Amino acid sequence: MSQYADIILPVPLQKLFTYSVPEEMNGDLEVGSRVVVQFGKKKSYSGIVRRLHDEKPEYETKPIQQVVDQTPIVVDRQLRMWDWMADYYCCSLGEIYRAALPSGLKLESESRLIYNADFEADAPLSERQEMILNFVELKKVCTISDVQQYVSTAEDEKMRFNVLPQIKKLLSMDALFISEELRDAYKPKTDVFYGIASEYRSDAALSEWMEKLSKAPKQLESLMQFLSQAGGLTKAKNGGLLRRETASKAGMSTTALNELVKKGLLTAEKQNISRIENGETATEEAHELSEEQQRAMDEIEGNWKEKTTTLLMGVTSSGKTEIYIHLIKKCIAEGRQALYLLPEIALTTQITQRLRKHFGKDLGVYHSKFNDAERVEVWNKLLAGNEYKVILGVRSSIMLPFRDLGLIIVDEEHETSYKQFDPAPRYNARDMANVLALIHGGKVLMGSATPSYESYNNAMTGRYGYVELKKRYAGIEMPEIVTVDMKEARHKKLMHYHEDKSASIFSLRLKETIDKALRGGEQVILFQNRRGFSPYVECTQCAWVPKCENCDVSLTYHKNTHQLVCHYCSYTIQLPQTCPCCGNPRIEPQGYGTEKIEEEVKSVFPEARVVRMDLDTARSRQAYEKIIGDFENYKYDILVGTQMISKGLDFERVSTVGIMNADNMLNMPDFRAYERCFQMISQVSGRAGRHGKRGQVILQTRQADHNVVRHIVENDYEANAREQLAEREMYHYPPFDRMVNIIVKHKEWTTAQHAAMEAGYALKSIFGNRVLGPQEPEISRIATYYLERIIVKIDKGSSPAKVKAIMTDCMNRILSQDQYKGVLWNVDVDPY
């Protein structure tokens, strides 16, 4: 019998923690199960059992306090993936555990305050301390969040304050005690299920009851309604109705039904019910593939005989999704599971509707806009293995407990949304799909009209299979892309002008094209990859620009709230009426974002119905779905949006796309700027003319003669890729070398700088001139922390585990020094 267990705890430390297994728990423990353990003097955590063994550690072990699960909630294949991810992405298993499990499956330590009845104050308490103490005394036991909520509702605004400093003082006086208790965040959803009592399920017994109820007409009517809605007497004997179903039926009185329960005719039992609408039974067979699609599918399956991964490069609207559906159906027919990955939650609305028709209740959806309880239910159903043969989701879906994954589709594989930036683990779901497929013995299909250069290079060098779809479905032509040189347009006055003679943001060519589309009853998409009204405001007299007090960035102006907002830490102030430097009353917006474009559209096209989709208008799942659904149903003529609208959406009536300013993307200080610019403009251009006549794209830029712009107009992905890959190989950038981005953070600039310099010297002694920096990044201060960056370029043949060990050792040596306490490190492998 095992005497010890290595536990994964949700802490960012690079190790497992060994606990002793009490004798009475020996038969209950399994690898992958949750247990409760004490960590430190007071904290209790839930952790995952990673290994059971008899190897006594050098230190004195604490016993496991409680076994939470009778069966594992994390399966072996998941744990193998976690091990790989921890080594490659230089993170801890605890950080992966925090990211992988829904919050509802993580027991959380919640601080509970207990009133000390024996407390006697040595000195008078402050009014705020008295307020807190009286509240806790009344409640006996409460959480800190309970106290904060109570204080925040005080009638006197002066008595609304942050309670933590005062609670700390009361704790130091022993006026309060603190108790750490674990709570299970997930609670199953329940409903009452009404059924006929077993002794009255015969026709004779029911008839006798109906006679008895003749003097209680409301109860008799409810019984008749119940039998009718339950599907008749025969079905009602073997089934029943949930309370929520009775509430939605006319004439069904819950009160009357409860009276029948009291009389013993009906039973009422609580049952766990699903929070997730499972959808209807599949109604459609897969459509017959075109000759071109069938050729591509045959090539994909041929490639899979030798390679795990195949890249499908298909132009926008070439019918890639239909190929995906055929391949998923084949996978399910073989008795295996399939995962369909999308980069954005916004895309799941349209794709879900389409896949439901083909897979019905076999389809599960998983993403962060679902509430936590819904995500727990998807997790549990996959663990049970009796539902969901197909999962449609975003990057977090790779963390789910699949039993036998046969196929992973990575749609729009080039998208940066597959990369997790903060917090750790900073993984790329596209790359993890390959690891997951190898663990399960499955296959991966990556699809894109503009593949990432990593995937394209892997395909060209034979690591991936490669299949092309060069024509749009049903012979529809690719959109015509027209470039408007904005320098020339402004010089020659080829801009649209307002009544006050000021130039708008629309060139005459773009305005005329939109006018023509609207007159023809068609829709328009306008793309600007920057939200807000304008990137910054500026004093017209002294050029003062308001900046965030926590970050080294200018504040973005949001006109609808008349506020200046930091898009990094959410710091917000009202737009000042006069310049605080010179007193000038004229502070004017500079540049433009989606909010400004929306205002301009309403001014230039007053009859058009306009909607905006960006992070400000589409924060919730419902908001996403409503905007997309309304535009799809032609409730709006013009959609203004950020990169959200560039990813795989399919709108039948969109004939025109306007790229408002390509220069923002071309001029980004990033070695991937040209790749990203080509991808984003090509993708958003692909929304035009997907059904029927050829679409048109108007691309406004000040760099009309730029190579990337020329490649976009000519739809020449290969030429753009060749140029960029040759340059990257020369300078040892990905995909030819691995790249690790290390960010050193501290609230004092000198401390961050000195810690980064020591780390840089230590890493250069090992990696030599492959270490760049330290240097300040483009934004050198975020949320009060000063940043220093070190870039390490590593040969692709190097062992990720060894690289992780070197970096971890370097960081630990620096953090062990007193002057560097409080220094934080972010390690980002493959930061793209």
Side-chain angles (χ1 to χ4, degrees), residues 331-360:
C331 177
I332 293 173
E334 293 169 2
R336 307 191 73 184
Q337 297 168 306
L339 171 61
Y340 191 136
L341 285 175
L342 291 167
E344 285 277 0
I345 294 164
L347 293 181
T348 60
T349 303
Q350 285 190 331
I351 297 294
T352 300
Q353 294 169 356
R354 186 168 176 181
L355 296 187
R356 283 264 187 248
K357 295 175 183 177
H358 292 281
F359 303 107

PDB file of all heavy atoms in Angstrom, residues 331-360:
ATOM      1  N   CYS A 331     -14.719  10.396 -37.821  1.00  0.00           N
ATOM      2  CA  CYS A 331     -14.087  10.168 -36.524  1.00  0.00           C
ATOM      3  C   CYS A 331     -15.092   9.576 -35.533  1.00  0.00           C
ATOM      4  O   CYS A 331     -14.792   8.604 -34.824  1.00  0.00           O
ATOM      5  CB  CYS A 331     -13.515  11.482 -35.994  1.00  0.00           C
ATOM      6  SG  CYS A 331     -12.782  11.375 -34.351  1.00  0.00           S
ATOM      7  N   ILE A 332     -16.292  10.129 -35.491  1.00  0.00           N
ATOM      8  CA  ILE A 332     -17.328   9.646 -34.578  1.00  0.00           C
ATOM      9  C   ILE A 332     -17.747   8.224 -34.951  1.00  0.00           C
ATOM     10  O   ILE A 332     -17.981   7.379 -34.077  1.00  0.00           O
ATOM     11  CB  ILE A 332     -18.545  10.601 -34.601  1.00  0.00           C
ATOM     12  CG1 ILE A 332     -18.172  11.952 -33.995  1.00  0.00           C
ATOM     13  CG2 ILE A 332     -19.719   9.996 -33.849  1.00  0.00           C
ATOM     14  CD1 ILE A 332     -19.252  12.994 -34.120  1.00  0.00           C
ATOM     15  N   ALA A 333     -17.833   7.958 -36.256  1.00  0.00           N
ATOM     16  CA  ALA A 333     -18.209   6.612 -36.707  1.00  0.00           C
ATOM     17  C   ALA A 333     -17.207   5.563 -36.241  1.00  0.00           C
ATOM     18  O   ALA A 333     -17.555   4.388 -36.070  1.00  0.00           O
ATOM     19  CB  ALA A 333     -18.323   6.600 -38.230  1.00  0.00           C
ATOM     20  N   GLU A 334     -15.965   5.981 -36.017  1.00  0.00           N
ATOM     21  CA  GLU A 334     -14.934   5.064 -35.515  1.00  0.00           C
ATOM     22  C   GLU A 334     -14.972   4.938 -33.993  1.00  0.00           C
ATOM     23  O   GLU A 334     -14.134   4.268 -33.389  1.00  0.00           O
ATOM     24  CB  GLU A 334     -13.552   5.554 -35.959  1.00  0.00           C
ATOM     25  CG  GLU A 334     -13.341   5.482 -37.468  1.00  0.00           C
ATOM     26  CD  GLU A 334     -12.080   6.219 -37.921  1.00  0.00           C
ATOM     27  OE1 GLU A 334     -11.361   6.746 -37.027  1.00  0.00           O
ATOM     28  OE2 GLU A 334     -11.827   6.267 -39.125  1.00  0.00           O
ATOM     29  N   GLY A 335     -15.953   5.623 -33.346  1.00  0.00           N
ATOM     30  CA  GLY A 335     -16.108   5.537 -31.901  1.00  0.00           C
ATOM     31  C   GLY A 335     -15.178   6.438 -31.124  1.00  0.00           C
ATOM     32  O   GLY A 335     -14.974   6.225 -29.922  1.00  0.00           O
ATOM     33  N   ARG A 336     -14.614   7.469 -31.759  1.00  0.00           N
ATOM     34  CA  ARG A 336     -13.667   8.360 -31.090  1.00  0.00           C
ATOM     35  C   ARG A 336     -14.239   9.766 -30.957  1.00  0.00           C
ATOM     36  O   ARG A 336     -15.264  10.103 -31.560  1.00  0.00           O
ATOM     37  CB  ARG A 336     -12.334   8.384 -31.850  1.00  0.00           C
ATOM     38  CG  ARG A 336     -11.753   6.996 -32.094  1.00  0.00           C
ATOM     39  CD  ARG A 336     -10.330   7.062 -32.593  1.00  0.00           C
ATOM     40  NE  ARG A 336      -9.415   7.439 -31.523  1.00  0.00           N
ATOM     41  CZ  ARG A 336      -8.103   7.656 -31.712  1.00  0.00           C
ATOM     42  NH1 ARG A 336      -7.577   7.551 -32.928  1.00  0.00           N
ATOM     43  NH2 ARG A 336      -7.324   7.983 -30.713  1.00  0.00           N
ATOM     44  N   GLN A 337     -13.582  10.609 -30.166  1.00  0.00           N
ATOM     45  CA  GLN A 337     -14.027  11.979 -29.935  1.00  0.00           C
ATOM     46  C   GLN A 337     -13.312  12.947 -30.877  1.00  0.00           C
ATOM     47  O   GLN A 337     -12.223  12.648 -31.373  1.00  0.00           O
ATOM     48  CB  GLN A 337     -13.741  12.387 -28.479  1.00  0.00           C
ATOM     49  CG  GLN A 337     -14.481  11.569 -27.442  1.00  0.00           C
ATOM     50  CD  GLN A 337     -13.951  11.826 -26.046  1.00  0.00           C
ATOM     51  OE1 GLN A 337     -12.753  11.695 -25.790  1.00  0.00           O
ATOM     52  NE2 GLN A 337     -14.833  12.182 -25.121  1.00  0.00           N
ATOM     53  N   ALA A 338     -13.929  14.110 -31.083  1.00  0.00           N
ATOM     54  CA  ALA A 338     -13.330  15.152 -31.927  1.00  0.00           C
ATOM     55  C   ALA A 338     -13.372  16.489 -31.192  1.00  0.00           C
ATOM     56  O   ALA A 338     -14.315  16.778 -30.456  1.00  0.00           O
ATOM     57  CB  ALA A 338     -14.069  15.259 -33.254  1.00  0.00           C
ATOM     58  N   LEU A 339     -12.348  17.296 -31.403  1.00  0.00           N
ATOM     59  CA  LEU A 339     -12.269  18.640 -30.836  1.00  0.00           C
ATOM     60  C   LEU A 339     -12.135  19.636 -31.974  1.00  0.00           C
ATOM     61  O   LEU A 339     -11.250  19.510 -32.822  1.00  0.00           O
ATOM     62  CB  LEU A 339     -11.064  18.750 -29.896  1.00  0.00           C
ATOM     63  CG  LEU A 339     -10.685  20.152 -29.375  1.00  0.00           C
ATOM     64  CD1 LEU A 339     -11.824  20.763 -28.579  1.00  0.00           C
ATOM     65  CD2 LEU A 339      -9.418  20.098 -28.519  1.00  0.00           C
ATOM     66  N   TYR A 340     -13.036  20.622 -32.004  1.00  0.00           N
ATOM     67  CA  TYR A 340     -13.044  21.661 -33.034  1.00  0.00           C
ATOM     68  C   TYR A 340     -12.656  22.972 -32.351  1.00  0.00           C
ATOM     69  O   TYR A 340     -13.446  23.547 -31.608  1.00  0.00           O
ATOM     70  CB  TYR A 340     -14.446  21.750 -33.646  1.00  0.00           C
ATOM     71  CG  TYR A 340     -14.577  22.584 -34.899  1.00  0.00           C
ATOM     72  CD1 TYR A 340     -15.317  22.120 -35.989  1.00  0.00           C
ATOM     73  CD2 TYR A 340     -14.018  23.854 -35.013  1.00  0.00           C
ATOM     74  CE1 TYR A 340     -15.482  22.880 -37.142  1.00  0.00           C
ATOM     75  CE2 TYR A 340     -14.175  24.620 -36.147  1.00  0.00           C
ATOM     76  CZ  TYR A 340     -14.906  24.126 -37.208  1.00  0.00           C
ATOM     77  OH  TYR A 340     -15.064  24.891 -38.346  1.00  0.00           O
ATOM     78  N   LEU A 341     -11.437  23.439 -32.590  1.00  0.00           N
ATOM     79  CA  LEU A 341     -10.931  24.654 -31.944  1.00  0.00           C
ATOM     80  C   LEU A 341     -11.165  25.883 -32.809  1.00  0.00           C
ATOM     81  O   LEU A 341     -10.916  25.861 -34.021  1.00  0.00           O
ATOM     82  CB  LEU A 341      -9.435  24.524 -31.661  1.00  0.00           C
ATOM     83  CG  LEU A 341      -9.001  23.630 -30.497  1.00  0.00           C
ATOM     84  CD1 LEU A 341      -7.477  23.544 -30.448  1.00  0.00           C
ATOM     85  CD2 LEU A 341      -9.530  24.150 -29.174  1.00  0.00           C
ATOM     86  N   LEU A 342     -11.619  26.948 -32.172  1.00  0.00           N
ATOM     87  CA  LEU A 342     -11.790  28.247 -32.814  1.00  0.00           C
ATOM     88  C   LEU A 342     -10.997  29.284 -32.020  1.00  0.00           C
ATOM     89  O   LEU A 342     -10.848  29.154 -30.798  1.00  0.00           O
ATOM     90  CB  LEU A 342     -13.264  28.649 -32.837  1.00  0.00           C
ATOM     91  CG  LEU A 342     -14.176  27.824 -33.752  1.00  0.00           C
ATOM     92  CD1 LEU A 342     -15.628  28.131 -33.436  1.00  0.00           C
ATOM     93  CD2 LEU A 342     -13.891  28.149 -35.201  1.00  0.00           C
ATOM     94  N   PRO A 343     -10.521  30.342 -32.673  1.00  0.00           N
ATOM     95  CA  PRO A 343      -9.710  31.326 -31.944  1.00  0.00           C
ATOM     96  C   PRO A 343     -10.512  32.289 -31.093  1.00  0.00           C
ATOM     97  O   PRO A 343     -10.010  32.819 -30.119  1.00  0.00           O
ATOM     98  CB  PRO A 343      -8.983  32.074 -33.065  1.00  0.00           C
ATOM     99  CG  PRO A 343      -9.874  31.941 -34.250  1.00  0.00           C
ATOM    100  CD  PRO A 343     -10.545  30.607 -34.120  1.00  0.00           C
ATOM    101  N   GLU A 344     -11.776  32.547 -31.458  1.00  0.00           N
ATOM    102  CA  GLU A 344     -12.551  33.575 -30.771  1.00  0.00           C
ATOM    103  C   GLU A 344     -13.920  33.052 -30.373  1.00  0.00           C
ATOM    104  O   GLU A 344     -14.548  32.297 -31.110  1.00  0.00           O
ATOM    105  CB  GLU A 344     -12.761  34.797 -31.689  1.00  0.00           C
ATOM    106  CG  GLU A 344     -11.542  35.671 -31.848  1.00  0.00           C
ATOM    107  CD  GLU A 344     -11.373  36.666 -30.720  1.00  0.00           C
ATOM    108  OE1 GLU A 344     -12.217  36.683 -29.801  1.00  0.00           O
ATOM    109  OE2 GLU A 344     -10.391  37.417 -30.753  1.00  0.00           O
ATOM    110  N   ILE A 345     -14.407  33.500 -29.225  1.00  0.00           N
ATOM    111  CA  ILE A 345     -15.748  33.152 -28.769  1.00  0.00           C
ATOM    112  C   ILE A 345     -16.790  33.663 -29.756  1.00  0.00           C
ATOM    113  O   ILE A 345     -17.823  33.036 -29.967  1.00  0.00           O
ATOM    114  CB  ILE A 345     -15.987  33.762 -27.371  1.00  0.00           C
ATOM    115  CG1 ILE A 345     -15.050  33.100 -26.359  1.00  0.00           C
ATOM    116  CG2 ILE A 345     -17.428  33.581 -26.929  1.00  0.00           C
ATOM    117  CD1 ILE A 345     -14.910  33.837 -25.063  1.00  0.00           C
ATOM    118  N   ALA A 346     -16.499  34.805 -30.391  1.00  0.00           N
ATOM    119  CA  ALA A 346     -17.466  35.389 -31.334  1.00  0.00           C
ATOM    120  C   ALA A 346     -17.817  34.423 -32.448  1.00  0.00           C
ATOM    121  O   ALA A 346     -18.930  34.424 -32.966  1.00  0.00           O
ATOM    122  CB  ALA A 346     -16.896  36.684 -31.926  1.00  0.00           C
ATOM    123  N   LEU A 347     -16.874  33.571 -32.839  1.00  0.00           N
ATOM    124  CA  LEU A 347     -17.114  32.650 -33.947  1.00  0.00           C
ATOM    125  C   LEU A 347     -18.031  31.497 -33.581  1.00  0.00           C
ATOM    126  O   LEU A 347     -18.655  30.891 -34.438  1.00  0.00           O
ATOM    127  CB  LEU A 347     -15.783  32.069 -34.437  1.00  0.00           C
ATOM    128  CG  LEU A 347     -14.815  33.028 -35.109  1.00  0.00           C
ATOM    129  CD1 LEU A 347     -13.565  32.303 -35.546  1.00  0.00           C
ATOM    130  CD2 LEU A 347     -15.466  33.685 -36.299  1.00  0.00           C
ATOM    131  N   THR A 348     -18.101  31.170 -32.287  1.00  0.00           N
ATOM    132  CA  THR A 348     -18.850  29.978 -31.901  1.00  0.00           C
ATOM    133  C   THR A 348     -20.340  30.118 -32.175  1.00  0.00           C
ATOM    134  O   THR A 348     -21.033  29.119 -32.328  1.00  0.00           O
ATOM    135  CB  THR A 348     -18.637  29.648 -30.411  1.00  0.00           C
ATOM    136  OG1 THR A 348     -19.084  30.740 -29.613  1.00  0.00           O
ATOM    137  CG2 THR A 348     -17.183  29.361 -30.109  1.00  0.00           C
ATOM    138  N   THR A 349     -20.857  31.356 -32.224  1.00  0.00           N
ATOM    139  CA  THR A 349     -22.285  31.550 -32.451  1.00  0.00           C
ATOM    140  C   THR A 349     -22.713  30.958 -33.787  1.00  0.00           C
ATOM    141  O   THR A 349     -23.624  30.131 -33.848  1.00  0.00           O
ATOM    142  CB  THR A 349     -22.637  33.058 -32.421  1.00  0.00           C
ATOM    143  OG1 THR A 349     -22.213  33.591 -31.169  1.00  0.00           O
ATOM    144  CG2 THR A 349     -24.117  33.276 -32.589  1.00  0.00           C
ATOM    145  N   GLN A 350     -22.066  31.365 -34.871  1.00  0.00           N
ATOM    146  CA  GLN A 350     -22.442  30.864 -36.192  1.00  0.00           C
ATOM    147  C   GLN A 350     -22.110  29.390 -36.357  1.00  0.00           C
ATOM    148  O   GLN A 350     -22.911  28.609 -36.863  1.00  0.00           O
ATOM    149  CB  GLN A 350     -21.740  31.671 -37.283  1.00  0.00           C
ATOM    150  CG  GLN A 350     -22.329  33.058 -37.500  1.00  0.00           C
ATOM    151  CD  GLN A 350     -21.763  33.715 -38.755  1.00  0.00           C
ATOM    152  OE1 GLN A 350     -20.646  33.457 -39.168  1.00  0.00           O
ATOM    153  NE2 GLN A 350     -22.557  34.574 -39.362  1.00  0.00           N
ATOM    154  N   ILE A 351     -20.917  28.991 -35.925  1.00  0.00           N
ATOM    155  CA  ILE A 351     -20.496  27.604 -36.110  1.00  0.00           C
ATOM    156  C   ILE A 351     -21.346  26.659 -35.278  1.00  0.00           C
ATOM    157  O   ILE A 351     -21.673  25.550 -35.712  1.00  0.00           O
ATOM    158  CB  ILE A 351     -19.000  27.442 -35.753  1.00  0.00           C
ATOM    159  CG1 ILE A 351     -18.136  28.270 -36.690  1.00  0.00           C
ATOM    160  CG2 ILE A 351     -18.589  25.986 -35.813  1.00  0.00           C
ATOM    161  CD1 ILE A 351     -18.148  27.806 -38.127  1.00  0.00           C
ATOM    162  N   THR A 352     -21.724  27.078 -34.054  1.00  0.00           N
ATOM    163  CA  THR A 352     -22.562  26.221 -33.207  1.00  0.00           C
ATOM    164  C   THR A 352     -23.869  25.895 -33.909  1.00  0.00           C
ATOM    165  O   THR A 352     -24.308  24.733 -33.942  1.00  0.00           O
ATOM    166  CB  THR A 352     -22.853  26.902 -31.854  1.00  0.00           C
ATOM    167  OG1 THR A 352     -21.618  27.145 -31.178  1.00  0.00           O
ATOM    168  CG2 THR A 352     -23.727  26.027 -30.974  1.00  0.00           C
ATOM    169  N   GLN A 353     -24.519  26.911 -34.460  1.00  0.00           N
ATOM    170  CA  GLN A 353     -25.788  26.687 -35.159  1.00  0.00           C
ATOM    171  C   GLN A 353     -25.605  25.693 -36.308  1.00  0.00           C
ATOM    172  O   GLN A 353     -26.441  24.812 -36.533  1.00  0.00           O
ATOM    173  CB  GLN A 353     -26.333  28.011 -35.690  1.00  0.00           C
ATOM    174  CG  GLN A 353     -26.738  28.983 -34.584  1.00  0.00           C
ATOM    175  CD  GLN A 353     -27.024  30.371 -35.114  1.00  0.00           C
ATOM    176  OE1 GLN A 353     -26.852  30.655 -36.308  1.00  0.00           O
ATOM    177  NE2 GLN A 353     -27.455  31.267 -34.244  1.00  0.00           N
ATOM    178  N   ARG A 354     -24.505  25.832 -37.015  1.00  0.00           N
ATOM    179  CA  ARG A 354     -24.262  24.958 -38.165  1.00  0.00           C
ATOM    180  C   ARG A 354     -23.965  23.523 -37.726  1.00  0.00           C
ATOM    181  O   ARG A 354     -24.512  22.560 -38.283  1.00  0.00           O
ATOM    182  CB  ARG A 354     -23.092  25.510 -38.971  1.00  0.00           C
ATOM    183  CG  ARG A 354     -22.830  24.766 -40.268  1.00  0.00           C
ATOM    184  CD  ARG A 354     -21.860  25.541 -41.123  1.00  0.00           C
ATOM    185  NE  ARG A 354     -21.506  24.830 -42.333  1.00  0.00           N
ATOM    186  CZ  ARG A 354     -20.659  25.291 -43.248  1.00  0.00           C
ATOM    187  NH1 ARG A 354     -20.108  26.479 -43.083  1.00  0.00           N
ATOM    188  NH2 ARG A 354     -20.375  24.590 -44.328  1.00  0.00           N
ATOM    189  N   LEU A 355     -23.127  23.366 -36.688  1.00  0.00           N
ATOM    190  CA  LEU A 355     -22.755  22.027 -36.237  1.00  0.00           C
ATOM    191  C   LEU A 355     -23.897  21.322 -35.519  1.00  0.00           C
ATOM    192  O   LEU A 355     -23.996  20.098 -35.549  1.00  0.00           O
ATOM    193  CB  LEU A 355     -21.529  22.095 -35.330  1.00  0.00           C
ATOM    194  CG  LEU A 355     -20.218  22.587 -35.967  1.00  0.00           C
ATOM    195  CD1 LEU A 355     -19.072  22.439 -34.986  1.00  0.00           C
ATOM    196  CD2 LEU A 355     -19.904  21.833 -37.255  1.00  0.00           C
ATOM    197  N   ARG A 356     -24.774  22.085 -34.831  1.00  0.00           N
ATOM    198  CA  ARG A 356     -25.927  21.472 -34.158  1.00  0.00           C
ATOM    199  C   ARG A 356     -26.795  20.689 -35.141  1.00  0.00           C
ATOM    200  O   ARG A 356     -27.336  19.636 -34.806  1.00  0.00           O
ATOM    201  CB  ARG A 356     -26.767  22.548 -33.486  1.00  0.00           C
ATOM    202  CG  ARG A 356     -26.208  23.069 -32.191  1.00  0.00           C
ATOM    203  CD  ARG A 356     -26.814  22.365 -30.989  1.00  0.00           C
ATOM    204  NE  ARG A 356     -26.356  23.016 -29.769  1.00  0.00           N
ATOM    205  CZ  ARG A 356     -25.557  22.470 -28.885  1.00  0.00           C
ATOM    206  NH1 ARG A 356     -25.097  21.239 -29.084  1.00  0.00           N
ATOM    207  NH2 ARG A 356     -25.207  23.108 -27.797  1.00  0.00           N
ATOM    208  N   LYS A 357     -26.921  21.224 -36.358  1.00  0.00           N
ATOM    209  CA  LYS A 357     -27.749  20.550 -37.358  1.00  0.00           C
ATOM    210  C   LYS A 357     -27.177  19.190 -37.733  1.00  0.00           C
ATOM    211  O   LYS A 357     -27.903  18.275 -38.114  1.00  0.00           O
ATOM    212  CB  LYS A 357     -27.878  21.428 -38.609  1.00  0.00           C
ATOM    213  CG  LYS A 357     -28.620  22.738 -38.371  1.00  0.00           C
ATOM    214  CD  LYS A 357     -28.596  23.604 -39.617  1.00  0.00           C
ATOM    215  CE  LYS A 357     -29.269  24.947 -39.358  1.00  0.00           C
ATOM    216  NZ  LYS A 357     -29.190  25.839 -40.547  1.00  0.00           N
ATOM    217  N   HIS A 358     -25.851  19.067 -37.619  1.00  0.00           N
ATOM    218  CA  HIS A 358     -25.196  17.816 -38.025  1.00  0.00           C
ATOM    219  C   HIS A 358     -24.968  16.862 -36.853  1.00  0.00           C
ATOM    220  O   HIS A 358     -24.994  15.641 -37.039  1.00  0.00           O
ATOM    221  CB  HIS A 358     -23.854  18.125 -38.686  1.00  0.00           C
ATOM    222  CG  HIS A 358     -23.964  18.819 -39.995  1.00  0.00           C
ATOM    223  ND1 HIS A 358     -24.274  18.166 -41.166  1.00  0.00           N
ATOM    224  CD2 HIS A 358     -23.823  20.133 -40.327  1.00  0.00           C
ATOM    225  CE1 HIS A 358     -24.303  19.044 -42.164  1.00  0.00           C
ATOM    226  NE2 HIS A 358     -24.035  20.242 -41.676  1.00  0.00           N
ATOM    227  N   PHE A 359     -24.744  17.413 -35.640  1.00  0.00           N
ATOM    228  CA  PHE A 359     -24.353  16.549 -34.524  1.00  0.00           C
ATOM    229  C   PHE A 359     -25.313  16.597 -33.339  1.00  0.00           C
ATOM    230  O   PHE A 359     -25.175  15.798 -32.416  1.00  0.00           O
ATOM    231  CB  PHE A 359     -22.933  16.914 -34.063  1.00  0.00           C
ATOM    232  CG  PHE A 359     -21.916  16.819 -35.165  1.00  0.00           C
ATOM    233  CD1 PHE A 359     -21.368  17.963 -35.733  1.00  0.00           C
ATOM    234  CD2 PHE A 359     -21.526  15.591 -35.673  1.00  0.00           C
ATOM    235  CE1 PHE A 359     -20.444  17.885 -36.763  1.00  0.00           C
ATOM    236  CE2 PHE A 359     -20.603  15.496 -36.697  1.00  0.00           C
ATOM    237  CZ  PHE A 359     -20.067  16.650 -37.246  1.00  0.00           C
ATOM    238  N   GLY A 360     -26.288  17.520 -33.362  1.00  0.00           N
ATOM    239  CA  GLY A 360     -27.318  17.552 -32.330  1.00  0.00           C
ATOM    240  C   GLY A 360     -26.760  17.531 -30.925  1.00  0.00           C
ATOM    241  O   GLY A 360     -25.879  18.313 -30.551  1.00  0.00           O
TER     242      GLY A 360
END
